[in-house]
Amino acid sequence: MFGKKAKAEKEKEKEIEAINKANADKDSKTWVCPKCKTENKKESLMCRMCGNFK
């Protein structure tokens, strides 16, 4: 059970990394929080929903 959960979390992290990289490549005005998946303004250093750092 723990292995499946860890694998799923790892896949989510990769997905978020890909989204943030794609956003950076196209000079996006947002970034996606790796913790809660909320879109935030590019200028923000912390997530507006959970307070997690960029």
Side-chain angles (χ1 to χ4, degrees):
M1 187 77 173
F2 180 76
K4 288 182 182 180
K5 185 176 179 182
K7 186 178 178 181
E9 286 179 14
K10 189 75 169 175
E11 287 176 14
K12 283 182 187 177
E13 286 176 18
K14 284 183 180 182
E15 184 178 321
I16 291 168
E17 247 180 65
I19 291 168
N20 283 331
K21 185 178 186 308
N23 284 344
D25 289 346
K26 66 180 180 182
D27 203 23
S28 178
K29 295 180 179 171
T30 62
W31 60 275
V32 178
C33 175
K35 185 175 181 182
C36 71
K37 319 303 184 266
T38 301
E39 252 187 80
N40 297 281
K41 291 181 181 178
K42 183 178 179 178
E43 309 82 42
S44 302
L45 297 177
M46 289 175 50
C47 176
R48 63 186 169 87
M49 287 296 266
C50 70
N52 192 47
F53 284 96
K54 197 172 189 178

